[in-house]
Amino acid sequence: MLRFVILYFYDYYLYYDYELSAAYEVHYNSREETSLKNSVVTKLKTPYVSVNGSYGGNQSWFREIEKKSKGETIDQFGCGLVGASDLLLHVLGESILDGKYQAENKLNHKSSKDKQTSSSKDMNIVSSEAYRDYILSMEKKYFHILPKLGISGVLLAWGLNIYFLINRKKIKEATGGSLVARWAVWPTKILDKIKEMLSNDIPIILAIGPGFFKKEKLKFYNKIEENGSVKFKHVTQTKDHYVTVTGVEEYLDQKTIDNNTSKPITMLEISSWGKKYYVNYDEYKKYVKKNDNYYFSNILYVKLRKKGQP
C-alpha cells in the first residue's frame, strides 16, 4: 500500500473489507484458446508464479517468521516487495532461487525461444520454504521496506534496475534482450503499456493509490463462468495497495445486470494476497480521478530492449 512522504509514496496495510454487490455479466457463444467471441484477451505467455497452489505471493505469509519485527513489517507493508520479487521470479524462474532449492522446485525456467512453445500445462511452482527465503533475500538486497513507510514505486524501479544491471547476462538468457524499469507512464498510455509488457511475458505492478482523506476503495471481482456467460462478482475492495496484473480481458459486448444495457468493458486480471481477482479498468480510472492522482496510482513499466531496437 502507499503513503506519501515528501516526494515518495509508500505501501500501507490493507483493510480486508468483504462485501457482495451486483455483478457484471458478459455473454459469449464460444471460447477459443486465447480469446472469447466478441472479446480480446491478452495474457502472460507462461503460467504465473504459484506457491503451493496460490496465485502469486502473499505478504501475510511472513507474519509468523522467526524475526517477528521483520515479519510484521512485510505483513503490513510488503505488497510492493512481493510484486517486484514475483515479477523477477516469473521472468527468470528457478535460476533466481538459492541453489539448494532449484532442484526441488518445478519451475518453468526456459530460454526465450522455449517460452514461446511452452505448454499451457507448465506451472511456475515454488515451495513455501524456498519462497520465504527468496523474499527475505530480495528485501535485504534490493527492496528494503522501512517500518511504517514501506517502499515507493520509484524505489521499486531503482531496485529492479540494480538487479537488471548486476544480472544482465541472466536477463538476456531469459528474455533475449535487456530490461529497464521506470515508475509511472502517461495516464492515456497505461493500458497500452500493460499489454506491451504482457506480450513480452512480464507481469505488471499496478498501484492503487492512497486517496488521502477519502473513504472510497477500488472493487475487486471474482470471475464466474456458467451457462454460456461470464460473470464478475464483487467480493472485496481496497486502496493503498500494489497488485500484479497478469492479463487483460476486453469484452466488446458487455451486459450489466442492473440495467440490462450493453457497453464495452475492460477487466484486468490481477494477483493479490496469493489469489486471482479482476479489476474493472474504467472503475480504476474513475477511482484515480475522484480520489487520487496518476503519480500515486500508476504502473511500474519494464521495457524489453532487444538488439537493434530503440
Side-chain angles (χ1 to χ4, degrees), residues 1 11-18 59 75-77 79 217 220 236-241 272-273:
M1 303 177 177
D11 40 349
Y12 241 69
Y13 184 63
L14 165 74
Y15 295 94
Y16 293 84
D17 291 338
Y18 288 86
Q59 66 207 67
D75 174 32
Q76 295 176 9
F77 314 106
C79 49
K217 298 180 180 181
F220 286 6
T236 189
Q237 56 194 21
T238 189
K239 65 176 187 174
D240 293 7
H241 189 47
S272 184
W273 317 305

Side-chain angles (χ1 to χ4, degrees), residues 100-135:
K100 66 181 179 180
Y101 295 117
Q102 291 183 20
E104 65 185 57
N105 284 286
K106 299 177 181 178
L107 267 125
N108 177 27
H109 176 47
K110 302 185 175 183
S111 68
S112 55
K113 180 178 179 181
D114 291 332
K115 280 191 172 186
Q116 294 174 5
T117 59
S118 64
S119 167
S120 60
K121 295 180 181 179
D122 290 333
M123 293 295 292
N124 277 357
I125 301 174
V126 60
S127 70
S128 297
E129 183 181 6
Y131 187 78
R132 180 202 63 197
D133 288 355
Y134 166 66
I135 292 293

Side-chain angles (χ1 to χ4, degrees), residues 59-93:
Q59 66 207 67
S60 67
W61 294 336
F62 297 84
R63 192 177 301 159
E64 305 298 331
I65 65 172
E66 187 175 338
K67 295 182 179 180
K68 189 174 180 181
S69 60
K70 178 63 68 178
E72 290 176 349
T73 298
I74 294 176
D75 174 32
Q76 295 176 9
F77 314 106
C79 49
L81 162 67
V82 168
S85 300
D86 281 4
L87 184 158
L88 291 171
L89 185 55
H90 179 86
V91 171
L92 294 174

